Amino acid sequence: MEPTPITPRLYLLDYSIGQAYLWQDEGELTLIDAGWAGTADRTATAIRAAGLDPDRLRRIVLTHCHRDHVGAAQELADRHGAEIVAHRLDAPVIRGEAPVPEPELLDWEVPLFAHGLTVPEAPPTRVDREVEDGEELGFGDGATVVHTPGHTPGSMAVHLPRHGVLFTGDTVASVGDVTFGVFHVDRALAMESMRALAKLSPSILCCGHGTPVTQDTPARLTAAAAA
Protein backbone atom coordinates (compact mmCIF):
# COMPACT_ATOMS: atom_id res chain seq x y z
CA MET A 1 0.00 0.00 0.00
CA GLU A 2 1.58 3.25 -1.16
CA PRO A 3 0.57 6.50 0.57
CA THR A 4 -1.05 8.99 -1.78
CA PRO A 5 -0.13 12.63 -1.06
CA ILE A 6 -3.06 15.05 -1.07
CA THR A 7 -1.17 18.06 0.32
CA PRO A 8 2.38 18.25 1.73
CA ARG A 9 0.91 17.45 5.17
CA LEU A 10 -1.87 15.02 4.23
CA TYR A 11 -1.81 11.48 2.83
CA LEU A 12 -4.43 8.92 1.83
CA LEU A 13 -4.00 5.29 2.92
CA ASP A 14 -6.27 3.03 0.85
CA TYR A 15 -7.20 -0.45 2.16
CA SER A 16 -9.47 -1.20 -0.86
CA ILE A 17 -12.53 -1.35 1.41
CA GLY A 18 -12.30 1.80 3.48
CA GLN A 19 -9.39 4.15 3.89
CA ALA A 20 -7.53 6.22 6.43
CA TYR A 21 -5.77 9.57 6.32
CA LEU A 22 -2.44 10.63 7.79
CA TRP A 23 -1.90 14.22 8.89
CA GLN A 24 1.56 15.57 9.65
CA ASP A 25 2.29 18.29 12.18
CA GLU A 26 5.78 19.32 13.19
CA GLY A 27 6.98 16.56 15.51
CA GLU A 28 3.90 14.33 15.43
CA LEU A 29 1.43 12.44 13.26
CA THR A 30 -2.32 11.88 13.46
CA LEU A 31 -4.21 9.04 11.80
CA ILE A 32 -7.87 9.56 10.90
CA ASP A 33 -9.34 6.03 11.05
CA ALA A 34 -7.17 2.94 11.17
CA GLY A 35 -7.97 0.38 8.49
CA TRP A 36 -8.80 -3.29 8.98
CA ALA A 37 -7.71 -5.61 11.76
CA GLY A 38 -4.38 -7.09 10.74
CA THR A 39 -3.21 -4.13 8.65
CA ALA A 40 -0.95 -2.46 11.23
CA ASP A 41 2.22 -3.58 9.43
CA ARG A 42 0.93 -2.26 6.10
CA THR A 43 0.04 1.06 7.70
CA ALA A 44 3.44 1.46 9.37
CA THR A 45 5.16 0.59 6.08
CA ALA A 46 3.05 3.20 4.26
CA ILE A 47 3.96 5.84 6.83
CA ARG A 48 7.64 5.07 6.33
CA ALA A 49 7.15 5.20 2.56
CA ALA A 50 5.96 8.79 3.03
CA GLY A 51 9.31 9.52 4.69
CA LEU A 52 7.79 9.65 8.16
CA ASP A 53 8.33 7.73 11.40
CA PRO A 54 5.32 5.72 12.67
CA ASP A 55 6.66 6.13 16.22
CA ARG A 56 5.67 9.81 15.89
CA LEU A 57 2.01 8.72 15.75
CA ARG A 58 0.35 10.56 18.66
CA ARG A 59 -3.35 9.96 18.10
CA ILE A 60 -5.77 7.85 16.09
CA VAL A 61 -9.11 9.57 15.59
CA LEU A 62 -11.96 7.17 14.77
CA THR A 63 -14.81 8.72 12.80
CA HIS A 64 -17.18 5.90 13.81
CA CYS A 65 -17.43 2.34 15.06
CA HIS A 66 -17.41 0.26 11.85
CA ARG A 67 -14.86 -2.50 11.37
CA ASP A 68 -13.12 -1.03 8.32
CA HIS A 69 -12.31 2.11 10.32
CA VAL A 70 -11.53 0.68 13.77
CA GLY A 71 -9.80 -2.62 12.98
CA ALA A 72 -6.09 -1.89 13.46
CA ALA A 73 -6.44 1.04 15.87
CA GLN A 74 -5.36 -0.63 19.09
CA GLU A 75 -2.48 -2.58 17.53
CA LEU A 76 -1.14 0.63 16.01
CA ALA A 77 -1.69 2.57 19.24
CA ASP A 78 0.03 -0.08 21.34
CA ARG A 79 3.03 -0.27 19.01
CA HIS A 80 3.57 3.43 18.51
CA GLY A 81 2.28 5.04 21.72
CA ALA A 82 -0.77 6.78 20.27
CA GLU A 83 -4.02 7.61 22.02
CA ILE A 84 -7.34 6.51 20.49
CA VAL A 85 -10.05 9.17 20.18
CA ALA A 86 -13.75 8.61 19.39
CA HIS A 87 -17.13 10.20 19.97
CA ARG A 88 -18.76 9.34 23.29
CA LEU A 89 -21.77 7.67 21.64
CA ASP A 90 -19.74 5.20 19.56
CA ALA A 91 -17.11 4.51 22.23
CA PRO A 92 -19.04 1.60 23.87
CA VAL A 93 -19.37 -0.13 20.49
CA ILE A 94 -15.68 0.36 19.74
CA ARG A 95 -14.80 -1.13 23.13
CA GLY A 96 -17.01 -4.14 22.45
CA GLU A 97 -19.41 -3.25 25.26
CA ALA A 98 -22.39 -2.67 22.92
CA PRO A 99 -23.40 -4.18 19.56
CA VAL A 100 -22.72 -2.46 16.26
CA PRO A 101 -25.98 -0.67 15.34
CA GLU A 102 -27.85 -2.17 12.39
CA PRO A 103 -28.19 0.07 9.31
CA GLU A 104 -31.38 0.76 7.38
CA LEU A 105 -30.39 -0.80 4.04
CA LEU A 106 -31.95 0.10 0.71
CA ASP A 107 -32.34 -2.85 -1.66
CA TRP A 108 -29.33 -1.85 -3.77
CA GLU A 109 -27.17 -1.50 -0.64
CA VAL A 110 -27.67 -5.13 0.49
CA PRO A 111 -24.96 -6.72 -1.72
CA LEU A 112 -22.56 -3.86 -1.02
CA PHE A 113 -23.07 -4.32 2.71
CA ALA A 114 -22.42 -8.06 2.41
CA HIS A 115 -19.17 -7.28 0.58
CA GLY A 116 -18.17 -4.90 3.36
CA LEU A 117 -18.62 -7.66 5.91
CA THR A 118 -15.76 -9.56 4.24
CA VAL A 119 -13.44 -7.20 6.14
CA PRO A 120 -12.26 -8.87 9.37
CA GLU A 121 -14.33 -7.97 12.41
CA ALA A 122 -12.67 -5.34 14.58
CA PRO A 123 -11.48 -6.57 17.98
CA PRO A 124 -12.65 -4.78 21.13
CA THR A 125 -10.61 -1.59 21.08
CA ARG A 126 -9.88 0.85 23.86
CA VAL A 127 -10.92 4.49 23.60
CA ASP A 128 -8.54 6.73 25.52
CA ARG A 129 -10.44 9.96 24.93
CA GLU A 130 -14.17 10.36 24.37
CA VAL A 131 -15.12 13.60 22.65
CA GLU A 132 -18.20 15.68 21.89
CA ASP A 133 -19.23 18.14 19.20
CA GLY A 134 -17.01 21.22 19.05
CA GLU A 135 -14.03 19.83 20.96
CA GLU A 136 -10.55 20.60 19.69
CA LEU A 137 -8.40 17.57 19.02
CA GLY A 138 -4.90 18.97 19.46
CA PHE A 139 -3.58 18.76 15.90
CA GLY A 140 -3.87 20.46 12.53
CA ASP A 141 -3.78 23.99 13.96
CA GLY A 142 -7.20 23.63 15.53
CA ALA A 143 -8.84 20.40 14.32
CA THR A 144 -12.41 20.28 15.65
CA VAL A 145 -14.99 17.53 16.18
CA VAL A 146 -18.23 17.87 14.21
CA HIS A 147 -20.82 15.40 15.49
CA THR A 148 -22.59 13.89 12.47
CA PRO A 149 -25.19 11.41 13.78
CA GLY A 150 -27.05 9.19 11.33
CA HIS A 151 -24.47 6.87 9.83
CA THR A 152 -24.00 5.70 13.41
CA PRO A 153 -25.12 7.55 16.56
CA GLY A 154 -21.55 8.63 17.33
CA SER A 155 -20.30 9.33 13.83
CA MET A 156 -18.17 12.44 13.64
CA ALA A 157 -16.35 14.51 11.08
CA VAL A 158 -13.06 16.26 11.75
CA HIS A 159 -12.69 19.83 10.48
CA LEU A 160 -9.37 21.64 10.04
CA PRO A 161 -10.67 25.16 9.32
CA ARG A 162 -7.24 26.76 8.92
CA HIS A 163 -6.42 24.28 6.18
CA GLY A 164 -9.86 23.94 4.59
CA VAL A 165 -9.78 20.17 5.18
CA LEU A 166 -12.82 18.10 6.21
CA PHE A 167 -12.71 14.40 7.08
CA THR A 168 -16.29 13.14 6.81
CA GLY A 169 -16.14 9.49 7.82
CA ASP A 170 -18.94 7.67 6.00
CA THR A 171 -21.63 10.36 6.13
CA VAL A 172 -20.38 11.48 2.72
CA ALA A 173 -18.75 9.39 -0.02
CA SER A 174 -16.71 10.43 -3.05
CA VAL A 175 -17.03 7.40 -5.29
CA GLY A 176 -17.37 8.82 -8.80
CA ASP A 177 -18.46 12.19 -7.44
CA VAL A 178 -19.51 13.57 -4.07
CA THR A 179 -22.53 11.60 -2.86
CA PHE A 180 -24.52 10.74 0.22
CA GLY A 181 -22.92 7.79 2.02
CA VAL A 182 -24.42 4.32 2.47
CA PHE A 183 -25.36 1.95 5.32
CA HIS A 184 -26.86 4.59 7.63
CA VAL A 185 -28.60 3.72 10.88
CA ASP A 186 -30.86 6.75 10.36
CA ARG A 187 -30.86 8.04 6.78
CA ALA A 188 -32.82 11.23 7.49
CA LEU A 189 -30.51 12.18 10.34
CA ALA A 190 -27.43 11.37 8.26
CA MET A 191 -28.70 13.66 5.51
CA GLU A 192 -29.16 16.46 8.06
CA SER A 193 -25.56 15.88 9.10
CA MET A 194 -24.40 16.03 5.48
CA ARG A 195 -26.19 19.37 4.99
CA ALA A 196 -24.43 20.70 8.09
CA LEU A 197 -21.06 19.60 6.69
CA ALA A 198 -21.78 21.36 3.39
CA LYS A 199 -22.12 24.65 5.29
CA LEU A 200 -18.46 24.34 6.34
CA SER A 201 -17.41 24.86 2.67
CA PRO A 202 -14.20 22.80 2.78
CA SER A 203 -11.66 23.08 -0.01
CA ILE A 204 -10.45 19.49 0.55
CA LEU A 205 -12.96 16.71 1.26
CA CYS A 206 -11.65 13.40 2.64
CA CYS A 207 -14.34 10.71 2.79
CA GLY A 208 -14.21 7.21 4.22
CA HIS A 209 -14.76 5.79 0.73
CA GLY A 210 -13.69 7.38 -2.54
CA THR A 211 -11.09 9.72 -3.95
CA PRO A 212 -10.26 12.90 -2.00
CA VAL A 213 -11.99 15.92 -3.54
CA THR A 214 -9.81 18.97 -4.19
CA GLN A 215 -11.57 20.74 -7.10
CA ASP A 216 -14.80 22.78 -6.83
CA THR A 217 -15.29 21.11 -3.47
CA PRO A 218 -17.78 23.44 -1.78
CA ALA A 219 -20.10 23.46 -4.79
CA ARG A 220 -19.93 19.70 -5.27
CA LEU A 221 -20.63 19.00 -1.60
CA THR A 222 -23.48 21.52 -1.51
CA ALA A 223 -25.04 19.99 -4.64
CA ALA A 224 -24.83 16.47 -3.21
CA ALA A 225 -26.39 17.60 0.07
CA ALA A 226 -29.28 19.18 -1.83
CA ALA A 227 -29.96 16.10 -3.99
Side-chain angles (χ1 to χ4, degrees), residues 120-139:
E121 188 172 351
T125 298
R126 75 172 192 268
V127 176
D128 301 304
R129 179 184 173 192
E130 297 183 16
V131 294
E132 302 273 4
D133 185 65
E135 287 192 39
E136 285 200 19
L137 291 168
F139 76 96

Side-chain angles (χ1 to χ4, degrees), residues 103-114:
E104 299 175 352
L105 296 177
L106 301 177
D107 289 345
W108 64 268
E109 292 179 321
V110 172
L112 286 176
F113 187 69

Side-chain angles (χ1 to χ4, degrees), residues 22-43:
L22 182 70
W23 178 267
Q24 177 186 7
D25 286 308
E26 186 175 351
E28 66 178 38
L29 303 172
T30 298
L31 197 61
I32 310 296
D33 291 323
W36 312 354
T39 61
D41 285 341
R42 289 169 58 192
T43 299

